[in-house]
Amino acid sequence: MVNTFSFACSACGKCCNSPPAMTLPELFRHRDLFIGCLAIGRVPRRRAGERLRAGQHESVLDETDAAAFASLADTLLHGAGDTFSIVTQGYDYPSLARCPALEDDGRCGIHLKGKPVTCEVVPLDPLVPDTLQHLVLAGRNQSALYLGTDCIQEGPRADATLLVAEGRIEDANAQHALARRRHALEQEKAMWGRAVFESLRNDLFESPAALARIPSGGFLTISIVPALLAVAGASVRCREWCLDYIDSQLALIDRRVAQALLRRRLDDRPVTQELRGFASAFQRARTLLVAPKQSRNEDLVFASSVEAYLSSACN
Ligand code: SF4
Ligand code: SF4
């Protein structure tokens, strides 16, 4: 069979080499373990006739493929023309080369306490149509991260789950995880993503000089505060949850920076600077959020949606 891949995760932990993308409620739930940030990436619009290649696999996109990419972009991403992903994620010192939840035996320490949905989706990509996931797997099968792990294999294998075949996701768990991650991204866009995109429109998304700060194929990381301010404004309860989150994050940043100072690594210094910047942004947000509020009309529908969205992590 062509374009067929199997997958068998042995939980070796090799792909847990940095903190993952996490939803805001997931970051709230694990607020004493993960420092939250916003990661902003550029995602080019795909056009019919465009050739995508990964390893030995190649596809020339037709109108249906281009429409499937556009549908995902319209639902999950931001902007027109070139589109941008804005996600919340964990942040830590790259020199540690590990997710903070990774145990020394290679296991995930939060597997039973709410493992991030993005980790359940591995090795698929929610921004790629199901019919083209074989290209994602072909690319990942060749990446250094997965080399030597054998978890992604071409063709059907007796000792692995058939993941993708002939343009379909074959495994029900993978289908479910992809659906949940896409739903989560859609929800994040509605709860705070649109507001953050608008708040950064002039200073980032419409400024060529600022856009140049987004590395090609990578992410620009900034403070998570714009997302917090978007949800904190929904109701008094949301504001209290955000203040609680800010206090936990300030304490966690203090601990992480103190550990880094003991390591005395030169390459940690810019990260420490960035974390101090995050801490300053949290302090400013704290001052803003504790200040007495003018009475104003709350959007009760939005308030109850945001409370429901955050409550799984805060109660
Ligand atoms: S590298 Fe592969 S086998 Fe190891 S944890 Fe990640 S998905 Fe599983
Ligand atoms: S949360 Fe768990 S599965 Fe996800 S990257 Fe961290 S250790 Fe790996």
Side-chain angles (χ1 to χ4, degrees), residues 195-271:
V196 168
F197 181 75
E198 288 307 322
S199 73
L200 298 175
R201 185 185 278 277
N202 288 340
D203 291 341
L204 178 60
F205 297 111
E206 290 182 354
S207 159
L211 281 179
R213 291 167 53 215
I214 303 179
S216 169
F219 296 98
L220 171 70
T221 52
I222 63 171
S223 162
I224 199 171
V225 159
L228 293 184
L229 294 181
V231 294
S235 71
V236 171
R237 188 185 284 179
C238 291
R239 183 163 58 89
E240 283 166 359
W241 285 336
C242 287
L243 282 166
D244 184 41
Y245 177 74
I246 287 171
D247 288 342
S248 298
Q249 290 284 283
L250 285 168
L252 179 58
I253 289 174
D254 274 354
R255 292 199 294 278
R256 292 284 196 268
V257 167
Q259 288 158 355
L261 293 179
L262 289 175
R263 288 195 297 273
R264 302 169 68 91
R265 289 180 60 124
L266 271 181
D267 54 350
D268 281 344
R269 286 189 186 171
V271 185

Side-chain angles (χ1 to χ4, degrees), residues 13 15-20 22 34 99-103 106-111 115-116 118-120:
C15 63
C16 304
N17 64 347
S18 60
M22 299 167 76
F34 290 92
C99 168
L102 185 66
E103 304 279 5
R107 306 271 157 173
C108 174
I110 56 171
H111 187 77
K115 182 173 164 176
T118 194
C119 302
E120 306 277 0

Side-chain angles (χ1 to χ4, degrees), residues 67-268:
F69 268 113
S71 166
L72 287 171
D74 292 344
T75 313
L76 310 177
L77 301 174
H78 301 266
D82 266 10
T83 44
F84 299 93
S85 68
I86 308 176
V87 298
T88 42
Q89 74 164 64
Y91 183 89
D92 210 341
Y93 286 87
S95 66
L96 297 171
R98 62 187 292 158
C99 168
L102 185 66
E103 304 279 5
D104 288 338
D105 63 0
R107 306 271 157 173
C108 174
I110 56 171
H111 187 77
L112 301 174
K113 290 181 268 176
K115 182 173 164 176
V117 178
T118 194
C119 302
E120 306 277 0
V121 171
V122 169
L124 302 175
D125 183 342
L127 299 181
V128 172
D130 291 7
T131 49
L132 295 166
Q133 288 288 340
H134 62 279
L135 292 175
V136 175
L137 296 173
R140 292 191 169 161
N141 202 16
Q142 299 225 318
S143 84
L145 198 62
Y146 292 90
L147 281 181
T149 64
D150 278 349
C151 48
I152 302 170
Q153 299 258 2
E154 254 194 275
R157 303 278 162 158
D159 55 352
T161 302
L162 184 63
L163 189 54
V164 162
E166 309 290 356
R168 284 189 313 277
I169 310 289
E170 292 287 338
D171 179 55
N173 290 333
Q175 281 172 8
H176 185 55
L178 259 185
R180 284 201 301 142
R181 180 59 182 155
R182 286 175 180 149
H183 174 68
L185 287 170
E186 196 175 348
Q187 217 179 8
E188 299 269 285
K189 185 173 175 178
M191 296 297 144
W192 55 262
R194 282 196 194 94
V196 168
F197 181 75
E198 288 307 322
S199 73
L200 298 175
R201 185 185 278 277
N202 288 340
D203 291 341
L204 178 60
F205 297 111
E206 290 182 354
S207 159
L211 281 179
R213 291 167 53 215
I214 303 179
S216 169
F219 296 98
L220 171 70
T221 52
I222 63 171
S223 162
I224 199 171
V225 159
L228 293 184
L229 294 181
V231 294
S235 71
V236 171
R237 188 185 284 179
C238 291
R239 183 163 58 89
E240 283 166 359
W241 285 336
C242 287
L243 282 166
D244 184 41
Y245 177 74
I246 287 171
D247 288 342
S248 298
Q249 290 284 283
L250 285 168
L252 179 58
I253 289 174
D254 274 354
R255 292 199 294 278
R256 292 284 196 268
V257 167
Q259 288 158 355
L261 293 179
L262 289 175
R263 288 195 297 273
R264 302 169 68 91
R265 289 180 60 124
L266 271 181
D267 54 350
D268 281 344

